[in-house]
Amino acid sequence: MSEAVSRRSAMRLLAAAGTAGAALGAAACAPEVPPGAAAPRAPAAAPPAEAKGAARIDALLERLTLDEKTALLHGARDPAPLGQAGYVPGVPRLGIPALRLADGPAGVRVAEPATALPAPVLLASAFEPALAREYGRVLGREGRALGQDVLLGPMANLIRTPYAGRNFETFAEDPTLTADLVGELVRGIQDEGLIATVKHFALNNQEHGRDTVDVIAAEQTLHETELRGFEAAVAAGAGAVMGAYNKVNGVHACESKPLLDELLRGSWGFDGWVMSDRDATHSTVAAIGAGLDMEMPAGTHFGAPLREAVRGGSVPEAAVDLAVRRILTTLDRFGLLAARPAARPPRDAAAGARTARKVATAGAVLLRNEHGTLPLTGAAARSIAVIGPTGQVPFVGGGGSAQVVPDGATAPLTAIRRRAGNGASVHYALGEDVYGRPLPPNLLTPAAALDERTVAPGQVWSHEGEFRLTADDEWTLLVHYTGKRPAVRLDGQDLFPVRQGVAEYFAGGLLGSAPDGMSVRRRTLALKAGAHRLAVTAEGGEKGQRFRLRHTTGAIRAADLAEAVRTAKSARSVVLFAYEDATEGRDRTSLGLPGGQDRLIEAVAAANPRTTVVLNTSSSTTMPWLPRTGAVLQMYYPGQEGGGATADLLFGDVDPGGRLTQTFPADERATPVGGDPLRYPGVSGRQEYSEGVHVGHRWYDAQRVAPLYPFGHGLSYTTWHYEKLTVRPGRAGLRVEFTVRNTGRRKGTEVAQVYVGPAPELELDQPVRALAGYRRLVLAPGEAQRVTVDLGVRALSSWDPEQHAWVLGSGRREVFVGRSSRELPLRSKAVVTSR
């Protein structure tokens, strides 16, 4: 069912299959089938089931009242909530079921435990579309098993700026790779009968000002970069699309007729439904007229105001009928309108865990490995120091709507000890305390125990006292709580005021919760020597609550650092876990590691040069400490099986086969958006994508800027050699063939990458090199494989804004092959013809 695109989409794509002319329309070039993907099946010209379904929808529309129709077009309160993000009441008298919609880029986010998969950016690093489909199947099965009908994912927005808070939820800076993976992820989700919702359409590439920013992007820029992933999702048959918060070229995305009606439905043939992001609907008449079908999470605009607009004549009832038809047609396609819908499957937690482990190991990127630091073998594997808070507390996933309650997660320290075995010595040092120490019991006058306090239901507990500092110091005060956040005032200042919007609820995947599940907020202040007054008030509420007040000081930080250095010196090898906690609702303010982690790494690596830094970060990171380290392993947010996967990689049980899907800059001022506030974060609510088609690695090539690590980079535990490149005209494109040889002594994984240069005969802005294809290989020592990568019409085309169409870049084209966007030992040229 889900492999087949919609009938209208299929007709458009099939009509274009034989077209290889110089001028190709927006819907006249079928997206190429990515490696490992099944080709979409063409439905029959007039399937009886489709005709029967259309008649069923017609009959339902005739019987629905206006109130019932509009109730299907907006979210409502769930009378029996499962912890999901949205709910749409059905119409029981007509057999139209209610819908439950769950967040889920990295797992199904409901109240019950679910498989916490690695972040999509880690999945993408494997460069393996077939693995994306497997990942999607886990999401699809678990969503159905956990009572959900619609998954609010995948996220197809590009990684445009390394500061964006949700980079971990998406895939890559490269549009080709993103399109391949999004398409297969949608297929996987829908293989299991769950409706996929590709988001956020479009240009939602940052959290800063996301509700209001007006993103200005030229037509060529849109089609060649941001839109590629969404187009692939539509071609894969996605049942729903989520509109973005921001404006696009002056109009809110959820009421943009050029986006929703002309492009999405007109050019691409999308026949599912479009819903708004949460509270991203800004009007009634304009939104439904532009093609928005569903407002989430409530009916502010599509409830009573829509009914009034229909009765008053400003919205024809036919527009409401059309929106309802789109929703019902999609439900019918997924069997949700059947008299006996398919039974929900049981949850298979073990299978989910296996896929999570597989993805975490496949996508891990070995950035640096000097003097054989990794893998850990021999004496190096028998004497290990593990350092850092995320060595002991597993960092499962990022914060916000991607955060999932896992069945459980093994700490990396536990996994390393288990893998090292009984004869090994594995010692641990915290390095940096992120949850705080209890306040000294004698700190306050009058004294009060502020650790593990309980407040009974309906009660209020408060205390005020004074403490003195003998010298200036930097303190971090932390409150852990289970109910309403206690009020904490220091010298009359409210340390933890209620934040605006989602920032109040989304506090990160690591720092927002203590290991025992209590919510955490923290505040760092420079305190002067002398007296200070601390006041705490906590309410029990209906259920009562527990809370604790904790702190760290300069002395605590210095002692933790000294302990880490001592532990590092006493071991043969060091594995130091570093983190950066990203979340929906806010962007990063720096690409450096937070807190004192840079200082910690410098000190530990100086004490022991066989230090491996494991990065649990959301996106690219600056590394001033890099020359001192032995190895750097990028694990992003590795999901519930990340501890075991990390141990697998450290000890060489698997080869690190991941490659960077985003460029790591050497200087955060030298990025595609660095130093230009109009590009990021915007000026006076306006943002311009003036980099054009030069997104990500394309910009570094165009500007000749040397990155810290280039797109596609990743080391292996073996060595590789590329040879014998041939490029010749193929069927509607170019056929690229080359040989890859494993020249080392270990079985290894390689990602061979093919890039194509600009077309000299095409008078359009073009990248210096664009990723055009890739192949993931696993080869035994000494084994060689002849690799064939076909570059189709789309890979060789550019978008012409005058023709509003894809045009083939004919003429003599240069092709590059190698291990990353900057390591391309093979190159050749071939002529691309329009016939």
Side-chain angles (χ1 to χ4, degrees), residues 33-60:
V33 178
R41 297 192 301 267
E50 183 176 311
K52 184 178 179 181
R56 180 163 51 244
I57 304 307
D58 289 340
L60 286 172

mmCIF file of all heavy atoms in Angstrom, residues 33-60:
data_model
loop_
_atom_site.group_PDB
_atom_site.id
_atom_site.type_symbol
_atom_site.label_atom_id
_atom_site.label_comp_id
_atom_site.label_asym_id
_atom_site.label_seq_id
_atom_site.Cartn_x
_atom_site.Cartn_y
_atom_site.Cartn_z
ATOM 1 N N VAL A 33 15.170 6.659 -7.922
ATOM 2 C CA VAL A 33 15.047 5.730 -6.804
ATOM 3 C C VAL A 33 16.400 5.652 -6.106
ATOM 4 O O VAL A 33 17.413 5.360 -6.733
ATOM 5 C CB VAL A 33 14.628 4.339 -7.306
ATOM 6 C CG1 VAL A 33 14.545 3.366 -6.141
ATOM 7 C CG2 VAL A 33 13.299 4.427 -8.026
ATOM 8 N N PRO A 34 16.474 5.948 -4.811
ATOM 9 C CA PRO A 34 17.753 5.918 -4.105
ATOM 10 C C PRO A 34 18.268 4.502 -3.971
ATOM 11 O O PRO A 34 17.523 3.536 -4.108
ATOM 12 C CB PRO A 34 17.409 6.520 -2.729
ATOM 13 C CG PRO A 34 15.945 6.278 -2.569
ATOM 14 C CD PRO A 34 15.373 6.327 -3.941
ATOM 15 N N PRO A 35 19.562 4.369 -3.663
ATOM 16 C CA PRO A 35 20.134 3.025 -3.494
ATOM 17 C C PRO A 35 19.376 2.227 -2.452
ATOM 18 O O PRO A 35 19.046 2.722 -1.388
ATOM 19 C CB PRO A 35 21.568 3.319 -3.030
ATOM 20 C CG PRO A 35 21.848 4.715 -3.493
ATOM 21 C CD PRO A 35 20.542 5.428 -3.472
ATOM 22 N N GLY A 36 19.054 1.005 -2.772
ATOM 23 C CA GLY A 36 18.380 0.133 -1.811
ATOM 24 C C GLY A 36 16.879 0.274 -1.780
ATOM 25 O O GLY A 36 16.198 -0.423 -1.042
ATOM 26 N N ALA A 37 16.333 1.200 -2.589
ATOM 27 C CA ALA A 37 14.894 1.437 -2.519
ATOM 28 C C ALA A 37 14.178 0.662 -3.612
ATOM 29 O O ALA A 37 14.708 0.416 -4.686
ATOM 30 C CB ALA A 37 14.597 2.921 -2.678
ATOM 31 N N ALA A 38 12.954 0.293 -3.310
ATOM 32 C CA ALA A 38 12.118 -0.331 -4.322
ATOM 33 C C ALA A 38 11.485 0.750 -5.182
ATOM 34 O O ALA A 38 11.110 1.806 -4.692
ATOM 35 C CB ALA A 38 11.031 -1.165 -3.649
ATOM 36 N N ALA A 39 11.373 0.498 -6.470
ATOM 37 C CA ALA A 39 10.739 1.468 -7.342
ATOM 38 C C ALA A 39 9.255 1.554 -7.038
ATOM 39 O O ALA A 39 8.624 0.560 -6.702
ATOM 40 C CB ALA A 39 10.943 1.064 -8.806
ATOM 41 N N PRO A 40 8.667 2.784 -7.104
ATOM 42 C CA PRO A 40 7.230 2.889 -6.851
ATOM 43 C C PRO A 40 6.434 2.097 -7.872
ATOM 44 O O PRO A 40 6.779 2.050 -9.047
ATOM 45 C CB PRO A 40 6.963 4.393 -6.957
ATOM 46 C CG PRO A 40 8.134 4.969 -7.672
ATOM 47 C CD PRO A 40 9.288 4.066 -7.425
ATOM 48 N N ARG A 41 5.383 1.465 -7.404
ATOM 49 C CA ARG A 41 4.547 0.665 -8.304
ATOM 50 C C ARG A 41 3.466 1.549 -8.901
ATOM 51 O O ARG A 41 2.816 2.321 -8.206
ATOM 52 C CB ARG A 41 3.899 -0.487 -7.526
ATOM 53 C CG ARG A 41 4.894 -1.472 -6.939
ATOM 54 C CD ARG A 41 4.176 -2.711 -6.443
ATOM 55 N NE ARG A 41 3.192 -2.397 -5.427
ATOM 56 C CZ ARG A 41 3.443 -2.434 -4.130
ATOM 57 N NH1 ARG A 41 4.653 -2.758 -3.701
ATOM 58 N NH2 ARG A 41 2.504 -2.155 -3.251
ATOM 59 N N ALA A 42 3.259 1.411 -10.177
ATOM 60 C CA ALA A 42 2.228 2.199 -10.842
ATOM 61 C C ALA A 42 0.880 1.515 -10.675
ATOM 62 O O ALA A 42 0.728 0.350 -11.006
ATOM 63 C CB ALA A 42 2.553 2.327 -12.332
ATOM 64 N N PRO A 43 -0.122 2.250 -10.134
ATOM 65 C CA PRO A 43 -1.445 1.646 -10.013
ATOM 66 C C PRO A 43 -2.106 1.495 -11.378
ATOM 67 O O PRO A 43 -1.701 2.125 -12.352
ATOM 68 C CB PRO A 43 -2.198 2.654 -9.141
ATOM 69 C CG PRO A 43 -1.490 3.944 -9.351
ATOM 70 C CD PRO A 43 -0.058 3.616 -9.627
ATOM 71 N N ALA A 44 -3.107 0.660 -11.416
ATOM 72 C CA ALA A 44 -3.860 0.493 -12.662
ATOM 73 C C ALA A 44 -4.573 1.790 -13.004
ATOM 74 O O ALA A 44 -4.763 2.659 -12.164
ATOM 75 C CB ALA A 44 -4.872 -0.634 -12.498
ATOM 76 N N ALA A 45 -4.977 1.918 -14.266
ATOM 77 C CA ALA A 45 -5.575 3.169 -14.715
ATOM 78 C C ALA A 45 -6.822 3.531 -13.929
ATOM 79 O O ALA A 45 -7.060 4.687 -13.613
ATOM 80 C CB ALA A 45 -5.901 3.067 -16.206
ATOM 81 N N ALA A 46 -7.649 2.564 -13.576
ATOM 82 C CA ALA A 46 -8.880 2.855 -12.830
ATOM 83 C C ALA A 46 -9.162 1.709 -11.874
ATOM 84 O O ALA A 46 -10.007 0.858 -12.137
ATOM 85 C CB ALA A 46 -10.054 3.050 -13.790
ATOM 86 N N PRO A 47 -8.414 1.656 -10.787
ATOM 87 C CA PRO A 47 -8.577 0.534 -9.864
ATOM 88 C C PRO A 47 -9.980 0.504 -9.269
ATOM 89 O O PRO A 47 -10.484 1.531 -8.837
ATOM 90 C CB PRO A 47 -7.532 0.814 -8.769
ATOM 91 C CG PRO A 47 -6.683 1.930 -9.272
ATOM 92 C CD PRO A 47 -7.479 2.648 -10.290
ATOM 93 N N PRO A 48 -10.602 -0.644 -9.231
ATOM 94 C CA PRO A 48 -11.939 -0.731 -8.643
ATOM 95 C C PRO A 48 -11.962 -0.262 -7.197
ATOM 96 O O PRO A 48 -12.908 0.404 -6.771
ATOM 97 C CB PRO A 48 -12.269 -2.221 -8.746
ATOM 98 C CG PRO A 48 -11.384 -2.735 -9.842
ATOM 99 C CD PRO A 48 -10.156 -1.922 -9.792
ATOM 100 N N ALA A 49 -10.914 -0.573 -6.415
ATOM 101 C CA ALA A 49 -10.889 -0.173 -5.013
ATOM 102 C C ALA A 49 -10.894 1.340 -4.891
ATOM 103 O O ALA A 49 -11.537 1.905 -4.008
ATOM 104 C CB ALA A 49 -9.665 -0.759 -4.321
ATOM 105 N N GLU A 50 -10.170 2.014 -5.810
ATOM 106 C CA GLU A 50 -10.127 3.469 -5.747
ATOM 107 C C GLU A 50 -11.494 4.064 -6.062
ATOM 108 O O GLU A 50 -11.944 5.004 -5.397
ATOM 109 C CB GLU A 50 -9.073 3.984 -6.726
ATOM 110 C CG GLU A 50 -8.901 5.499 -6.688
ATOM 111 C CD GLU A 50 -7.787 5.962 -7.587
ATOM 112 O OE1 GLU A 50 -6.688 5.395 -7.529
ATOM 113 O OE2 GLU A 50 -8.029 6.901 -8.356
ATOM 114 N N ALA A 51 -12.140 3.504 -7.073
ATOM 115 C CA ALA A 51 -13.474 3.997 -7.416
ATOM 116 C C ALA A 51 -14.444 3.769 -6.267
ATOM 117 O O ALA A 51 -15.267 4.634 -5.935
ATOM 118 C CB ALA A 51 -13.970 3.302 -8.684
ATOM 119 N N LYS A 52 -14.336 2.601 -5.645
ATOM 120 C CA LYS A 52 -15.200 2.299 -4.508
ATOM 121 C C LYS A 52 -14.916 3.255 -3.359
ATOM 122 O O LYS A 52 -15.828 3.741 -2.690
ATOM 123 C CB LYS A 52 -14.969 0.858 -4.066
ATOM 124 C CG LYS A 52 -15.875 0.394 -2.941
ATOM 125 C CD LYS A 52 -15.606 -1.058 -2.605
ATOM 126 C CE LYS A 52 -16.500 -1.540 -1.455
ATOM 127 N NZ LYS A 52 -16.226 -2.954 -1.112
ATOM 128 N N GLY A 53 -13.618 3.558 -3.151
ATOM 129 C CA GLY A 53 -13.258 4.491 -2.092
ATOM 130 C C GLY A 53 -13.802 5.877 -2.353
ATOM 131 O O GLY A 53 -14.302 6.537 -1.440
ATOM 132 N N ALA A 54 -13.716 6.351 -3.585
ATOM 133 C CA ALA A 54 -14.231 7.679 -3.920
ATOM 134 C C ALA A 54 -15.737 7.752 -3.683
ATOM 135 O O ALA A 54 -16.258 8.753 -3.174
ATOM 136 C CB ALA A 54 -13.908 8.011 -5.377
ATOM 137 N N ALA A 55 -16.439 6.687 -4.038
ATOM 138 C CA ALA A 55 -17.892 6.669 -3.807
ATOM 139 C C ALA A 55 -18.213 6.692 -2.318
ATOM 140 O O ALA A 55 -19.169 7.341 -1.877
ATOM 141 C CB ALA A 55 -18.499 5.425 -4.464
ATOM 142 N N ARG A 56 -17.380 5.966 -1.539
ATOM 143 C CA ARG A 56 -17.588 5.960 -0.091
ATOM 144 C C ARG A 56 -17.382 7.357 0.492
ATOM 145 O O ARG A 56 -18.134 7.814 1.351
ATOM 146 C CB ARG A 56 -16.646 4.951 0.554
ATOM 147 C CG ARG A 56 -16.780 4.880 2.072
ATOM 148 C CD ARG A 56 -16.166 3.625 2.661
ATOM 149 N NE ARG A 56 -14.805 3.384 2.225
ATOM 150 C CZ ARG A 56 -14.425 2.329 1.507
ATOM 151 N NH1 ARG A 56 -15.302 1.408 1.115
ATOM 152 N NH2 ARG A 56 -13.167 2.169 1.157
ATOM 153 N N ILE A 57 -16.359 8.058 0.013
ATOM 154 C CA ILE A 57 -16.089 9.409 0.513
ATOM 155 C C ILE A 57 -17.229 10.340 0.112
ATOM 156 O O ILE A 57 -17.681 11.169 0.915
ATOM 157 C CB ILE A 57 -14.743 9.936 -0.038
ATOM 158 C CG1 ILE A 57 -13.597 8.987 0.298
ATOM 159 C CG2 ILE A 57 -14.474 11.326 0.512
ATOM 160 C CD1 ILE A 57 -13.463 8.632 1.751
ATOM 161 N N ASP A 58 -17.714 10.218 -1.125
ATOM 162 C CA ASP A 58 -18.853 11.041 -1.560
ATOM 163 C C ASP A 58 -20.061 10.827 -0.655
ATOM 164 O O ASP A 58 -20.738 11.785 -0.251
ATOM 165 C CB ASP A 58 -19.231 10.696 -3.000
ATOM 166 C CG ASP A 58 -18.214 11.187 -4.015
ATOM 167 O OD1 ASP A 58 -17.428 12.095 -3.665
ATOM 168 O OD2 ASP A 58 -18.200 10.664 -5.146
ATOM 169 N N ALA A 59 -20.322 9.588 -0.323
ATOM 170 C CA ALA A 59 -21.478 9.276 0.529
ATOM 171 C C ALA A 59 -21.308 9.864 1.920
ATOM 172 O O ALA A 59 -22.270 10.389 2.511
ATOM 173 C CB ALA A 59 -21.671 7.761 0.602
ATOM 174 N N LEU A 60 -20.109 9.798 2.446
ATOM 175 C CA LEU A 60 -19.865 10.368 3.779
ATOM 176 C C LEU A 60 -20.038 11.879 3.762
ATOM 177 O O LEU A 60 -20.642 12.460 4.678
ATOM 178 C CB LEU A 60 -18.455 10.006 4.250
ATOM 179 C CG LEU A 60 -18.227 8.565 4.691
ATOM 180 C CD1 LEU A 60 -16.736 8.304 4.936
ATOM 181 C CD2 LEU A 60 -19.027 8.265 5.957
#
